[in-house]
């Protein structure tokens, strides 16, 4: 059986598309493996934190007002949960704290929700760029290991999480504060002695 001149290029194109998915999966897996290997938390703690984030956000989504009127993200680091985003009222902010505290496995909740309208896609993009810049600057600064600090930006505010010394915390905050567009730096660290 011979392939026509039309079918042969189509078959080659389809094969190359399928193989690109394999390469992307392989590279994505390698990147995830590197993240796990460089994170100072154990792999079990990392998985527990990912699970806690999902469970807290799931609990928050069950509240009608939060799911329809708010933008809330949960970030977990060593079972400590940071809530960031925007809510319509102080009572909604309080409800979010209560719901997060009610999730099994959560040891502390840091509620940094802001009362106001949800941020725009444009602001979310700016925040992502700020986070990238902070991480990049930490990578080349020898005062703090970038892998010891988790960086999240929300509406121009940079949140720093991790288990660090006071000197490392101060260095991380100093680095973040010098990035263009950063309005405030909030430290959510557990301090090592």
């Amino acid at each position: 059986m011979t392939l026509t001149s039309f079918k042969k290029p189509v078959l080659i194109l389809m094969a190359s598309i399928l193989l690109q998915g394999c390469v992307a999966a392989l590279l994505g897996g390698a990147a995830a493996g590197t993240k796990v290997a460089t994170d100072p938390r154990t792999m079990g703690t990392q998985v527990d934190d990912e699970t806690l984030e999902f469970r807290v956000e799931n609990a928050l989504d069950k509240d009608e007002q939060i799911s329809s009127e708010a933008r809330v993200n949960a970030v977990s680091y060593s079972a400590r949960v940071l809530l960031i985003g925007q809510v319509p009222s102080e009572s909604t902010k309080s409800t979010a704290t209560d719901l997060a505290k009610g999730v099994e496995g959560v040891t502390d909740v840091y509620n940094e929700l802001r009362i106001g309208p949800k941020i725009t896609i444009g602001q979310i993009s700016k925040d992502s760029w700020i986070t990238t810049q902070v991480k990049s600057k930490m990578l080349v600064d020898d005062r703090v290991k970038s892998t010891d600090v988790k960086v999240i930006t929300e509406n121009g505010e940079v949140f720093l999480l991790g288990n660090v010394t006071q000197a490392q915390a101060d260095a991380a905050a100093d680095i973040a504060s010098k990035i263009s567009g950063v309005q405030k730096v909030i430290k959510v660290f557990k301090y090592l002695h």
Side-chain angles (χ1 to χ4, degrees):
M1 178 174 164
T2 62
L3 294 174
T4 65
S5 60
F6 174 73
K7 289 181 183 176
K8 199 177 227 179
V10 170
L11 184 61
I12 292 170
L13 178 63
M14 293 300 291
S16 67
I17 289 171
L18 290 173
L19 287 175
Q20 284 178 354
C22 293
V23 170
L26 180 64
L27 292 176
T34 301
K35 180 190 178 298
V36 168
T38 59
D39 194 312
R41 297 172 293 166
T42 65
M43 186 166 29
T45 301
Q46 291 175 56
V47 170
D48 289 347
D49 283 338
E50 294 283 331
T51 302
L52 269 183
E53 288 175 6
F54 173 77
R55 291 174 58 213
V56 168
E57 287 183 359
N58 189 37
L60 295 170
D61 284 342
K62 289 180 180 175
D63 182 274
E64 189 175 319
Q65 186 174 30
I66 292 173
S67 66
S68 64
E69 298 177 29
R71 179 180 181 278
V72 180
N73 292 312
V75 181
S76 179
Y77 197 96
S78 297
R80 297 184 322 270
V81 174
L82 167 68
L83 299 177
I84 56 174
Q86 301 77 43
V87 293
S89 66
E90 193 64 47
S91 66
T92 308
K93 182 176 177 177
S94 180
T95 298
T97 300
D98 293 341
L99 289 170
K101 284 182 179 177
V103 173
E104 184 181 341
V106 173
T107 59
D108 288 308
V109 175
Y110 301 91
N111 189 333
E112 292 291 337
L113 294 168
R114 305 296 182 237
I115 298 169
K118 296 178 191 179
I119 61 174
T120 64
I121 296 293
Q123 183 61 50
I124 292 169
S125 296
K126 288 177 188 174
D127 290 341
S128 180
W129 176 239
I130 289 171
T131 297
T132 299
Q133 291 180 83
V134 172
K135 289 180 179 180
S136 296
K137 294 288 185 186
M138 281 186 194
L139 195 61
V140 296
D141 192 299
D142 61 358
R143 296 177 294 165
V144 61
K145 284 176 55 177
S146 61
T147 56
D148 289 350
V149 179
K150 189 169 188 172
V151 181
I152 298 98
T153 306
E154 179 75 15
N155 204 18
E157 296 181 325
V158 176
F159 297 90
L160 305 171
L161 297 91
N163 301 325
V164 296
T165 66
Q166 183 68 50
Q168 291 169 321
D170 293 343
D174 179 57
I175 292 165
S177 69
K178 293 178 179 171
I179 302 297
S180 176
V182 173
Q183 297 176 17
K184 187 176 183 181
V185 177
I186 296 104
K187 296 187 274 186
V188 190
F189 290 121
K190 178 177 181 184
Y191 292 100
L192 305 173
H193 301 283

